[in-house]
Amino acid sequence: MANLLDQLAAMTVVVSDTGDIDAIKQFTPRDATTNPSLILAAAQIPAYQNLIDRSLQESRQVMGVDAGADAVVREALDEICVTFGKEILKIVPGRVSTEVDARLSYDTEATISKARKLIGLYNQAGISNDRVLIKVASTWEGIRAAEQLEREGIHCNLTLLFGFAQAVACAEAGVTLISPFVGRILDWYKKSTGRDAYPGPEDPGVISVTQIFNYFKTYGYKTEVMGASFRNIEEIIELAGCDLLTISPALLDQLRHTEGELERKLNAFDPAPTEAQIHLDEAHFRQMLASDPMATEKLDEGIRGFCKAIETLEAQLAHRLAELEGGAAFSHAVHEIFLLNDLDGDGCITREEWLGSDAVFDALDTDKDGRLAPEDIKGGLGAALVGAGTGQP
């Protein structure tokens, strides 16, 4: 009997949810997707240090020798995301998803500008638009940005999607693909109800994606549905037949080593009955989202989490740039950290002032006095980069 992964691939497009290029090579996904947390995790792997260094060096060339470390690091963030994307596209035959900086999630024009830059970097490498999905948070502002980008031929993957209102607004905007986060929905319900587990058919994340899928197919929306952020293979089994599913290497491996009959649960040509069609303007969208505490909380939490991952990656890049260019660049990076975090200008950064992750602060605060002086930053940044944690998608 065929394993579950092979059976799933016959009815659903399987996408690899990782920035680890070697992990992608172990499977045969059509597409791959990344996010800031995954890029941050991949950046810890020594085998990829050359990709990081190359991106930093190219960013220095773009920004010029007189540019500060902060400017080079900002440029390098885009370069690194695209560099990993280009490497992934050497392996997968389909598309790679590359994410817009989560700190732009509530700025439509800035999101559009960043997306154009990212796709431009791919185009410069000879990669056409049809092989790239630009990932944008499913805020109202993000959805409006994606609507404009789709008109320009830049295809979008709307991420951090937890609620029905977000899905409907994305479909009406004509976006290429949405990524509802199955596992994070389950997390919220387990925490809010105190319930330890849900059987697959009762899993709130599974129910949400099933509702969205049947609604889209019933009313003929072209937007594809890609379930994401799975906690177990039971969730995946219940969504067999979904347009796409993006799955972590660990769960892909589990599916590959599990035998049994896989039943199609979702059918685009014969969707289950669904609710009446609705149309959303901004006021109706915000009202529906506000009435869904799970979607509201998880959207805000997801954006904050991705922002922290970006900030931690920026700190890593500043440190590595200093190693590549010498102490002057490192001193400049320390100066920039103080400009950003020392809000009262007293020469020390408290935990309340610190804008980055707690893990980085704790690693820098080697004397555990709750305050960071310039010497702490200079002496402890390396330790922070080793010790900072990375979150699961």
Side-chain angles (χ1 to χ4, degrees):
M1 180 177 293
N3 63 59
L4 294 185
L5 180 58
D6 288 343
Q7 294 178 72
L8 180 67
M11 62 183 76
T12 289
V13 173
V14 175
V15 179
S16 184
D17 190 16
T18 180
D20 185 343
I21 296 165
D22 287 336
I24 295 172
K25 291 178 181 177
Q26 296 178 25
F27 303 95
T28 56
R30 192 196 75 178
D31 296 352
T33 183
T34 65
N35 64 42
S37 294
L38 296 174
I39 293 291
L40 178 60
Q44 316 307 311
I45 301 173
Y48 302 148
Q49 190 62 64
N50 66 315
L51 298 180
I52 301 294
D53 291 352
R54 188 172 72 203
S55 296
L56 284 166
Q57 290 160 352
E58 290 175 355
S59 297
R60 169 58 75 189
Q61 292 177 357
V62 169
M63 300 308 297
V65 295
D66 295 328
D70 58 331
V72 176
V73 165
R74 285 197 300 269
E75 178 68 20
L77 282 172
D78 297 334
E79 293 281 352
I80 286 168
C81 290
V82 173
T83 293
F84 272 86
K86 289 187 294 186
E87 293 298 317
I88 288 169
L89 287 175
K90 294 176 182 178
I91 304 168
V92 302
R95 305 170 295 191
V96 67
S97 290
T98 296
E99 191 144 350
V100 168
D101 190 327
R103 293 170 293 192
L104 306 179
S105 295
Y106 295 100
D107 189 329
T108 297
E109 292 305 317
T111 296
I112 292 171
S113 177
K114 181 66 74 174
R116 288 170 177 163
K117 180 181 180 183
L118 292 172
I119 201 69
L121 291 172
Y122 277 109
N123 294 160
Q124 289 171 22
I127 297 169
S128 59
N129 288 18
D130 63 338
R131 298 207 67 199
V132 180
L133 292 171
I134 300 298
K135 289 180 76 175
V136 179
S138 299
T139 59
W140 178 258
E141 294 81 4
I143 295 168
R144 299 281 67 81
E147 184 176 38
Q148 175 59 37
L149 292 167
E150 293 281 357
R151 293 193 191 107
E152 298 176 12
I154 300 173
H155 306 300
C156 296
N157 170 358
L158 272 290
T159 187
L160 293 174
L161 193 148
F162 304 97
F164 189 64
Q166 292 172 290
V168 172
C170 288
E172 293 197 306
V175 306
T176 297
L177 182 146
I178 62 169
S179 299
F181 277 27
V182 180
R184 294 197 190 188
I185 294 174
L186 173 64
D187 294 344
W188 189 91
Y189 277 94
K190 288 172 68 175
K191 182 178 179 180
S192 65
T193 64
R195 186 171 170 179
D196 291 335
Y198 286 80
E202 298 177 18
D203 186 302
V206 169
I207 292 171
S208 176
V209 175
T210 300
Q211 176 194 25
I212 291 167
F213 180 89
N214 288 323
Y215 182 88
F216 280 18
K217 304 313 173 187
T218 296
Y219 297 110
Y221 291 111
K222 301 302 182 185
T223 300
E224 297 175 298
V225 180
M226 180 171 73
S229 180
F230 293 104
R231 297 293 179 256
N232 52 68
I233 65 170
E234 286 72 26
E235 292 177 321
I236 297 168
I237 290 169
E238 289 300 322
L239 294 175
C242 193
D243 296 325
L244 307 94
L245 297 174
T246 180
I247 306 170
S248 69
L251 292 179
L252 286 172
D253 191 58
Q254 190 176 347
L255 288 166
R256 186 170 61 180
H257 289 94
T258 303
E259 293 187 351
E261 189 72 27
L262 184 64
E263 177 187 353
R264 178 186 287 272
K265 297 298 180 74
L266 302 179
N267 190 335
F269 301 102
D270 186 23
T274 188
E275 52 265 81
Q277 188 174 18
I278 61 174
H279 302 285
L280 299 179
D281 57 15
E282 182 176 358
H284 194 186
F285 171 87
R286 295 193 185 281
Q287 181 182 32
M288 285 187 66
L289 186 62
S291 68
D292 184 344
M294 179 276 296
T296 300
E297 290 177 22
K298 298 306 288 185
L299 174 61
D300 179 65
E301 176 186 277
I303 290 172
R304 286 188 285 109
F306 282 173
C307 287
K308 284 190 174 184
I310 292 170
E311 290 164 1
T312 304
L313 183 55
E314 283 179 332
Q316 287 191 351
L317 295 177
H319 179 71
R320 183 57 183 166
L321 183 66
E323 291 181 333
L324 292 172
E325 298 187 339
F330 185 64
S331 295
H332 184 84
V334 172
H335 176 67
E336 293 298 328
I337 289 173
F338 264 81
L339 283 179
L340 181 64
N341 291 275
D342 184 14
L343 302 182
D344 58 9
D346 66 351
C348 290
I349 302 170
T350 64
R351 186 180 294 275
E352 290 71 26
E353 293 175 307
W354 182 250
L355 300 176
S357 68
D358 287 340
V360 173
F361 186 95
D362 290 339
L364 292 172
D365 185 21
T366 54
D367 58 5
K368 306 305 178 186
D369 67 349
R371 296 161 61 86
L372 300 180
E375 293 72 23
D376 296 319
I377 302 290
K378 292 176 182 177
L381 187 54
L385 302 182
V386 173
T390 59
Q392 290 288 329

